[in-house]
Amino acid sequence: ENATTPSNHKFNNELILVITNRGYVDLVMDAARKAGAPGGTVIHARGTGVGDSEKFFGVTVGAEKEMIFIVTDKSRRDKIMQAIMKDAGNDSPAASTLFSLPVLSLGNN
């Protein structure tokens, strides 16, 4: 057990991380906002190394990718993630992959 994160800590916020093809941020964020996301931060990802691509949590990130970070209340996480996958998931031209992580605290708390 880590002394700074006790096992009984309740995580109220989640970070949703979306990796999508470049040019599809608006599609992803439109779906996320309709499902209750407050907004997001976009990072233009550029892979390096063999073949100009690199693995990030098992997902290949090449020069054509963008990463979107969305911090949201835990209660909205599933709805937001489902909306993104429906509109911009693996079967769409956006080919988005996403996952979430618990957020222990926010800087404004």
Side-chain angles (χ1 to χ4, degrees):
E1 179 179 4
N2 184 333
T4 59
T5 54
S7 60
N8 64 349
H9 182 81
K10 301 228 188 283
F11 296 97
N12 296 321
N13 296 290
E14 292 277 331
L15 169 67
I16 300 171
L17 194 143
V18 184
I19 301 169
T20 191
N21 286 332
R22 181 154 294 171
Y24 291 93
V25 169
D26 289 338
L27 179 66
V28 170
M29 285 309 304
D30 286 347
R33 281 191 196 98
K34 287 177 189 173
T41 300
V42 178
I43 297 175
H44 301 286
R46 182 175 152 223
T48 59
V50 178
D52 291 326
S53 64
E54 191 167 319
K55 294 278 186 180
F56 182 81
F57 287 105
V59 176
T60 301
V61 177
E64 73 285 354
K65 300 291 183 182
E66 292 178 296
M67 299 170 66
I68 305 161
F69 294 80
I70 301 168
V71 176
T72 187
D73 185 83
K74 185 177 180 179
S75 65
R76 295 185 200 148
R77 178 198 60 208
D78 291 344
K79 186 176 179 183
I80 292 168
M81 291 179 76
Q82 289 167 1
I84 293 169
M85 288 308 293
K86 179 179 178 279
D87 291 356
N90 288 321
D91 296 333
S92 77
S96 299
T97 300
L98 61 137
F99 58 91
S100 70
L101 299 168
V103 175
L104 180 60
S105 65
L106 298 174
N108 61 357
N109 285 354

